[in-house]
């Protein structure tokens, strides 16, 4: 889903097999309101996240990072390897989005979905540069689950291991995008 609209569907065989190490992008851009669920959200729930930023059934929420002047999630885990560098979020709120600035941000989050377990990762992202970069990944490098933005042709790759399970063309706008 991009901005609440279904971009593609795909079933994969095996996603990441282990690890609670989550890495948030090595990009030039901003992240806001990262939510990790251990369930596949419905189209209605994704549209609610995109338009209202809330859900009917938040019981499957593993962790939530608002980035409202903090790198701590609702579970109490803190993003590591960085100093908080905040910018205005998509609604113009001061210090309410995380400026990644080409620095990988790592965090150990217990209970991340692994293997073929259902999952949804939802977040807002704004790129500062039209270049290829990883938005997030987790799991060992030989068998991770992640999302990569590719600049030419402009597309999003979702994959596991060292290959993309599917690719979806997108239009680069430089605006906030809900992924």
């Amino acid at each position: 889903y991009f901005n609440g609209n279904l971009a593609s569907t795909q079933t994969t065989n095996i996603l990441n097999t282990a690890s609670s190490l989550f890495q948030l992008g090595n990009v030039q851009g901003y992240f806001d309101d990262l939510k990790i669920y251990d369930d596949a959200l419905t189209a209605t729930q994704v549209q609610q996240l995109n338009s209202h930023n809330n859900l009917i059934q938040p019981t499957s929420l593993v962790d939530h990072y608002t980035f409202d002047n903090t790198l701590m999630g609702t579970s109490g885990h803190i993003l590591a390897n960085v100093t908080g560098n905040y910018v205005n979020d998509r609604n113009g709120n001061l210090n309410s989005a995380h400026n990644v600035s080409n620095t990988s941000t790592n965090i150990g989050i217990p209970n991340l979905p692994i293997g073929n377990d259902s999952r949804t990762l939802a977040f807002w992202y704004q790129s500062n540069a039209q270049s290829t970069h990883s938005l997030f990944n987790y799991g060992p490098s030989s068998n991770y689950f992640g999302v990569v933005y590719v600049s030419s042709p402009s597309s999003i790759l979702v994959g596991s291991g060292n290959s993309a399970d599917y690719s979806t063309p997108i239009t680069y706008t430089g605006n906030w995008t809900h992924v």
Side-chain angles (χ1 to χ4, degrees):
Y1 287 87
F2 296 101
N3 294 324
N5 299 308
L6 181 64
S8 180
T9 60
Q10 180 73 28
T11 301
T12 60
N13 292 327
I14 298 177
L15 297 173
N16 64 305
T17 56
S19 184
S20 63
L21 183 62
F22 183 89
Q23 184 177 62
L24 185 63
N26 187 6
V27 302
Q28 287 193 20
Y30 313 131
F31 283 87
D32 190 20
D33 204 39
L34 167 66
K35 294 179 181 178
I36 304 169
Y37 298 90
D38 64 2
D39 199 6
L41 299 184
T42 66
T44 299
Q45 291 171 320
V46 170
Q47 290 165 353
Q48 287 176 335
L49 275 178
N50 180 61
S51 59
H52 304 296
N53 205 33
N54 55 24
L55 280 179
I56 297 170
Q57 301 172 341
T59 56
S60 64
L61 187 65
V62 174
D63 216 339
H64 178 199
Y65 295 85
T66 64
F67 300 118
D68 292 347
N69 208 28
T70 183
L71 295 175
M72 184 179 292
T74 55
S75 68
H77 296 95
I78 299 174
L79 295 171
N81 301 338
V82 295
T83 303
N85 183 2
Y86 306 102
V87 296
N88 294 356
D89 69 8
R90 67 195 181 280
N91 298 313
N93 298 314
L94 296 175
N95 299 321
S96 295
H98 178 47
N99 183 356
V100 181
S101 298
N102 283 334
T103 304
S104 295
T105 304
N106 299 315
I107 182 169
I109 304 174
N111 304 317
L112 286 173
I114 60 172
N116 288 330
D117 293 345
S118 295
R119 68 199 74 192
T120 301
L121 285 90
F123 55 92
W124 288 89
Y125 173 71
Q126 181 183 29
S127 177
N128 289 343
Q130 191 172 357
S131 60
T132 298
H133 49 266
S134 171
L135 296 179
F136 76 84
N137 64 73
Y138 71 90
S141 60
S142 63
N143 196 17
Y144 70 92
F145 170 70
V147 173
V148 174
Y149 170 79
V150 177
S151 61
S152 183
S154 187
S155 60
I156 293 284
L157 304 177
V158 177
S160 58
N162 293 317
S163 64
D165 293 313
Y166 63 94
S167 172
T168 300
I170 64 165
T171 302
Y172 174 83
T173 63
N175 296 323
W176 283 99
T177 301
H178 190 250
V179 179

